[in-house]
Amino acid sequence: MIALLHEILIQPFAEFAFMRRALLGALLLALSACPVGVFLMLRGMSLAGDAMAHAILPGAAAGFLLYGLEILPMTVGGLIAGALVALGAGAVSRLTIQKEDASMAAFYLMSLALGVCLISLRGSSVDLSNVLFGAVLALNDEALRLIAGVCAVTLTALAIFWRALAADSLDPLFLRSVSKIGAPAHFLFLGLAVLNMVGGFQALGTLLSVGLMMLPAAAARFWASRLFPMAVLAVGIGMVSSWAGLLLSYHLELPSGPAIVLSAGAIYLVSLIAAPRGLIATHLRARGHRSA
């Protein structure tokens, strides 16, 4: 039994260097992106996270059009495009009557269409698939250094500005009434979100990078009510999802990125049903109150 478990759970990573690099990259992404996902969820911006993931596509596509599948040009292009879309959507929501979710949707739809058109000018369907869905099993040392840099910047920013980001997520009107840091905190958070989308793009592509950011955060909310434990639990769920998804990809010959996101989705469904704040516990508490 022990030998069988070792063969299923450990051997793929012990035997193949590409599996170890994929696991390291996915774990770093979980450590970096999942706390950002918790803030996105608390702000009611979960779908805006998906929009920002799509928004990096034209910049990445421009880098691909000029330099091919090179990490640095695609990353810089994606970062610039994501920042422009996030800032543009934020400015529209503050200067017009349109809310941020609507302006974000408008910008991301235009960005997605533009990015696909740019890739189609030079690339093949395989290139488009790699950009949209990623290739976590093909991570090289350069990609790992980029993801590690994103993780370091994100964790440093969260450590320094945690209280401001928490206040801006939970009660932005109060923060702006007592401090001038409200608007900077909002744009700092958008910058962290875009940065992590760009990092996730290297492994999971523009369409799936938000999955590792949001699904662990959504699952963690069923288990914890306080912000810091929720963020820590989201990181743990993201790491377990990464490990399980890579194993599923290896043993069942599934695409690695979708397998990771599906693993996170399975944990979310279990949490939805069985967690202390999930369906069963909520139903039991409600029935107890009615009987009392």
Side-chain angles (χ1 to χ4, degrees), residues 29 130-136 199-213 256-258 260-261:
L29 284 174
N130 285 336
V131 172
L132 293 179
F133 300 106
V136 66
F201 150 76
Q202 300 298 333
L204 301 175
T206 58
L207 296 185
L208 294 178
S209 59
V210 72
L212 188 59
M213 179 179 288
S256 52
I260 290 173
V261 175

Short mmCIF file of all heavy atoms in Angstrom, two decimals, residues 29 130-136 199-213 256-258 260-261:
data_model
loop_
_atom_site.label_atom_id
_atom_site.label_comp_id
_atom_site.label_asym_id
_atom_site.label_seq_id
_atom_site.Cartn_x
_atom_site.Cartn_y
_atom_site.Cartn_z
N LEU A 29 2.52 30.36 -7.45
CA LEU A 29 1.32 31.08 -7.89
C LEU A 29 0.23 31.04 -6.82
O LEU A 29 -0.44 32.04 -6.56
CB LEU A 29 0.79 30.48 -9.19
CG LEU A 29 1.55 30.84 -10.47
CD1 LEU A 29 0.99 30.05 -11.64
CD2 LEU A 29 1.45 32.33 -10.75
N ASN A 130 -1.70 27.81 -26.39
CA ASN A 130 -0.72 28.02 -25.33
C ASN A 130 -0.92 29.34 -24.61
O ASN A 130 -0.77 29.44 -23.40
CB ASN A 130 0.70 27.96 -25.92
CG ASN A 130 1.14 26.55 -26.25
OD1 ASN A 130 0.64 25.59 -25.68
ND2 ASN A 130 2.08 26.43 -27.17
N VAL A 131 -1.27 30.38 -25.37
CA VAL A 131 -1.48 31.70 -24.76
C VAL A 131 -2.76 31.71 -23.92
O VAL A 131 -2.79 32.27 -22.83
CB VAL A 131 -1.52 32.80 -25.84
CG1 VAL A 131 -1.92 34.13 -25.23
CG2 VAL A 131 -0.16 32.92 -26.51
N LEU A 132 -3.81 31.08 -24.42
CA LEU A 132 -5.10 31.11 -23.73
C LEU A 132 -5.14 30.17 -22.54
O LEU A 132 -5.76 30.48 -21.51
CB LEU A 132 -6.23 30.76 -24.70
CG LEU A 132 -6.51 31.76 -25.83
CD1 LEU A 132 -7.63 31.26 -26.71
CD2 LEU A 132 -6.84 33.14 -25.27
N PHE A 133 -4.51 28.98 -22.66
CA PHE A 133 -4.65 27.96 -21.62
C PHE A 133 -3.35 27.60 -20.92
O PHE A 133 -3.35 26.80 -20.00
CB PHE A 133 -5.25 26.68 -22.24
CG PHE A 133 -6.61 26.90 -22.85
CD1 PHE A 133 -6.76 26.94 -24.22
CD2 PHE A 133 -7.72 27.11 -22.06
CE1 PHE A 133 -8.01 27.15 -24.80
CE2 PHE A 133 -8.96 27.34 -22.62
CZ PHE A 133 -9.11 27.36 -23.99
N GLY A 134 -2.23 28.20 -21.34
CA GLY A 134 -0.98 28.00 -20.64
C GLY A 134 -0.33 26.66 -20.91
O GLY A 134 -0.87 25.80 -21.62
N ALA A 135 0.86 26.48 -20.33
CA ALA A 135 1.61 25.22 -20.47
C ALA A 135 2.46 25.05 -19.23
O ALA A 135 3.68 25.23 -19.25
CB ALA A 135 2.46 25.26 -21.74
N VAL A 136 1.81 24.71 -18.12
CA VAL A 136 2.52 24.64 -16.84
C VAL A 136 3.60 23.57 -16.85
O VAL A 136 4.62 23.70 -16.16
CB VAL A 136 1.51 24.40 -15.68
CG1 VAL A 136 0.86 23.04 -15.78
CG2 VAL A 136 2.17 24.61 -14.34
N GLY A 199 1.61 36.77 -13.94
CA GLY A 199 2.36 35.62 -13.47
C GLY A 199 1.64 34.31 -13.74
O GLY A 199 2.23 33.33 -14.19
N GLY A 200 0.33 34.29 -13.50
CA GLY A 200 -0.45 33.09 -13.75
C GLY A 200 -0.55 32.77 -15.23
O GLY A 200 -0.65 31.59 -15.61
N PHE A 201 -0.48 33.80 -16.06
CA PHE A 201 -0.55 33.60 -17.51
C PHE A 201 0.58 32.70 -17.99
O PHE A 201 0.41 31.90 -18.91
CB PHE A 201 -0.53 34.96 -18.19
CG PHE A 201 0.09 34.98 -19.55
CD1 PHE A 201 -0.60 34.49 -20.64
CD2 PHE A 201 1.36 35.49 -19.74
CE1 PHE A 201 -0.02 34.51 -21.91
CE2 PHE A 201 1.94 35.51 -20.99
CZ PHE A 201 1.24 35.01 -22.07
N GLN A 202 1.75 32.79 -17.37
CA GLN A 202 2.89 31.98 -17.79
C GLN A 202 2.60 30.49 -17.64
O GLN A 202 3.07 29.68 -18.43
CB GLN A 202 4.13 32.35 -16.98
CG GLN A 202 4.56 33.78 -17.09
CD GLN A 202 4.95 34.16 -18.51
OE1 GLN A 202 5.37 33.32 -19.29
NE2 GLN A 202 4.80 35.43 -18.83
N ALA A 203 1.82 30.13 -16.63
CA ALA A 203 1.57 28.71 -16.37
C ALA A 203 0.20 28.25 -16.83
O ALA A 203 0.06 27.15 -17.38
CB ALA A 203 1.72 28.43 -14.86
N LEU A 204 -0.82 29.06 -16.61
CA LEU A 204 -2.19 28.62 -16.83
C LEU A 204 -2.89 29.34 -17.99
O LEU A 204 -4.04 29.01 -18.31
CB LEU A 204 -3.02 28.82 -15.55
CG LEU A 204 -2.50 28.07 -14.32
CD1 LEU A 204 -3.33 28.43 -13.10
CD2 LEU A 204 -2.53 26.58 -14.54
N GLY A 205 -2.23 30.32 -18.60
CA GLY A 205 -2.85 31.03 -19.71
C GLY A 205 -3.80 32.11 -19.22
O GLY A 205 -4.14 32.19 -18.04
N THR A 206 -4.25 32.93 -20.15
CA THR A 206 -5.10 34.06 -19.77
C THR A 206 -6.49 33.62 -19.35
O THR A 206 -7.15 34.30 -18.56
CB THR A 206 -5.22 35.05 -20.94
OG1 THR A 206 -5.76 34.37 -22.08
CG2 THR A 206 -3.87 35.62 -21.31
N LEU A 207 -6.97 32.49 -19.85
CA LEU A 207 -8.35 32.08 -19.53
C LEU A 207 -8.46 31.31 -18.22
O LEU A 207 -9.53 31.27 -17.62
CB LEU A 207 -8.91 31.23 -20.68
CG LEU A 207 -9.07 31.92 -22.03
CD1 LEU A 207 -9.76 31.00 -23.03
CD2 LEU A 207 -9.85 33.22 -21.90
N LEU A 208 -7.37 30.69 -17.76
CA LEU A 208 -7.45 29.84 -16.58
C LEU A 208 -6.71 30.42 -15.37
O LEU A 208 -6.88 29.90 -14.27
CB LEU A 208 -6.89 28.44 -16.89
CG LEU A 208 -7.68 27.60 -17.89
CD1 LEU A 208 -6.98 26.27 -18.13
CD2 LEU A 208 -9.10 27.37 -17.42
N SER A 209 -5.90 31.46 -15.56
CA SER A 209 -5.12 31.97 -14.44
C SER A 209 -5.99 32.46 -13.31
O SER A 209 -5.64 32.35 -12.13
CB SER A 209 -4.19 33.10 -14.92
OG SER A 209 -4.95 34.16 -15.49
N VAL A 210 -7.16 32.99 -13.64
CA VAL A 210 -8.06 33.48 -12.59
C VAL A 210 -8.65 32.33 -11.79
O VAL A 210 -9.08 32.52 -10.65
CB VAL A 210 -9.17 34.35 -13.21
CG1 VAL A 210 -10.17 33.52 -13.99
CG2 VAL A 210 -9.88 35.17 -12.15
N GLY A 211 -8.67 31.11 -12.36
CA GLY A 211 -9.24 29.96 -11.63
C GLY A 211 -8.47 29.65 -10.37
O GLY A 211 -9.06 29.40 -9.31
N LEU A 212 -7.14 29.65 -10.44
CA LEU A 212 -6.33 29.38 -9.26
C LEU A 212 -6.39 30.54 -8.27
O LEU A 212 -6.11 30.36 -7.09
CB LEU A 212 -4.87 29.11 -9.67
CG LEU A 212 -3.93 28.63 -8.57
CD1 LEU A 212 -4.42 27.32 -7.96
CD2 LEU A 212 -2.52 28.46 -9.10
N MET A 213 -6.77 31.71 -8.74
CA MET A 213 -6.89 32.86 -7.86
C MET A 213 -8.22 32.85 -7.11
O MET A 213 -8.26 33.13 -5.90
CB MET A 213 -6.74 34.15 -8.67
CG MET A 213 -6.88 35.42 -7.86
SD MET A 213 -6.68 36.92 -8.86
CE MET A 213 -4.92 36.86 -9.20
N SER A 256 -2.78 20.01 -18.15
CA SER A 256 -2.36 20.30 -16.77
C SER A 256 -3.10 21.50 -16.17
O SER A 256 -3.55 21.45 -15.02
CB SER A 256 -0.85 20.53 -16.72
OG SER A 256 -0.47 21.49 -17.69
N GLY A 257 -3.22 22.61 -16.93
CA GLY A 257 -3.90 23.79 -16.40
C GLY A 257 -5.35 23.53 -16.04
O GLY A 257 -5.78 23.81 -14.90
N PRO A 258 -6.15 22.98 -16.96
CA PRO A 258 -7.53 22.65 -16.60
C PRO A 258 -7.63 21.66 -15.44
O PRO A 258 -8.55 21.74 -14.63
CB PRO A 258 -8.10 22.05 -17.89
CG PRO A 258 -7.31 22.71 -18.97
CD PRO A 258 -5.92 22.86 -18.41
N ILE A 260 -5.64 21.43 -12.84
CA ILE A 260 -5.44 22.18 -11.60
C ILE A 260 -6.70 22.95 -11.23
O ILE A 260 -7.15 22.94 -10.07
CB ILE A 260 -4.24 23.13 -11.76
CG1 ILE A 260 -2.93 22.34 -11.83
CG2 ILE A 260 -4.18 24.14 -10.60
CD1 ILE A 260 -1.71 23.18 -12.15
N VAL A 261 -7.31 23.61 -12.20
CA VAL A 261 -8.51 24.40 -11.92
C VAL A 261 -9.67 23.48 -11.54
O VAL A 261 -10.46 23.80 -10.64
CB VAL A 261 -8.86 25.27 -13.14
CG1 VAL A 261 -10.17 26.01 -12.91
CG2 VAL A 261 -7.74 26.27 -13.41
#
